[in-house]
Amino acid sequence: MDIEKIRTLIALMEESELVNLEISSDDEHISLTRHYDAPAPTMMAAPAASSAPAAAVEGKPAEKAGSVESSPMVGVFYSAPSPNDPPFVKVGQKVQAGDTLGIIEAMKIMNPLEATQSGIVDEILVDNSEVVQFGQPVIRYKA
């Protein structure tokens, strides 16, 4: 593996605040671990499920209904093919399964984020050029 690939992986770890990264291919294996001098952040227990709506709990707004498209990887989300082009989707736009919703750049590779279902875009949950995590909701459809 060349040094530029390793530098790219390190930069990706720093951008996304990853602690461990392990990649294997046929003839290569790399494992990177970041160590912090600061104490590890404390984890909070998930609240128990209740029948009360989320708005009633601690004054937080209720989570919107509707399914979401989540990021399949860690990377940088781009809403358009290039800075001068219009975005792939806009709020209120109807999309079909397989339509491109955006691009996620990971390790200098542009990966299309495709719709897994048909629906109407209710909300775009991340900004252009924002780092997204694996499983992070990116697009919400109307319920």
Side-chain angles (χ1 to χ4, degrees), residues 1-6 9 23 25 27-30 107:
M1 182 173 284
D2 72 352
I3 192 71
E4 275 308 307
K5 285 184 182 177
I6 294 172
L9 292 172
I23 298 175
S25 65
D27 59 341
E28 298 176 324
H29 177 84
I30 185 166
M107 295 178 52

Side-chain angles (χ1 to χ4, degrees), residues 31-106:
S31 177
L32 301 172
T33 303
R34 291 177 60 186
H35 297 281
Y36 294 99
D37 293 333
T42 57
M43 299 295 286
M44 295 180 64
S50 70
S51 59
V57 179
E58 298 180 22
K60 293 182 181 178
E63 190 171 308
K64 291 186 178 183
S67 58
V68 296
E69 292 289 347
S70 299
S71 176
M73 65 189 70
V74 175
V76 179
F77 173 79
Y78 294 108
S79 60
S82 70
N84 297 328
D85 289 336
F88 288 106
V89 295
K90 296 178 182 173
V91 172
Q93 180 177 337
K94 183 172 175 62
V95 296
Q96 300 296 320
D99 288 353
T100 301
L101 303 172
I103 296 172
I104 299 176
E105 177 187 7

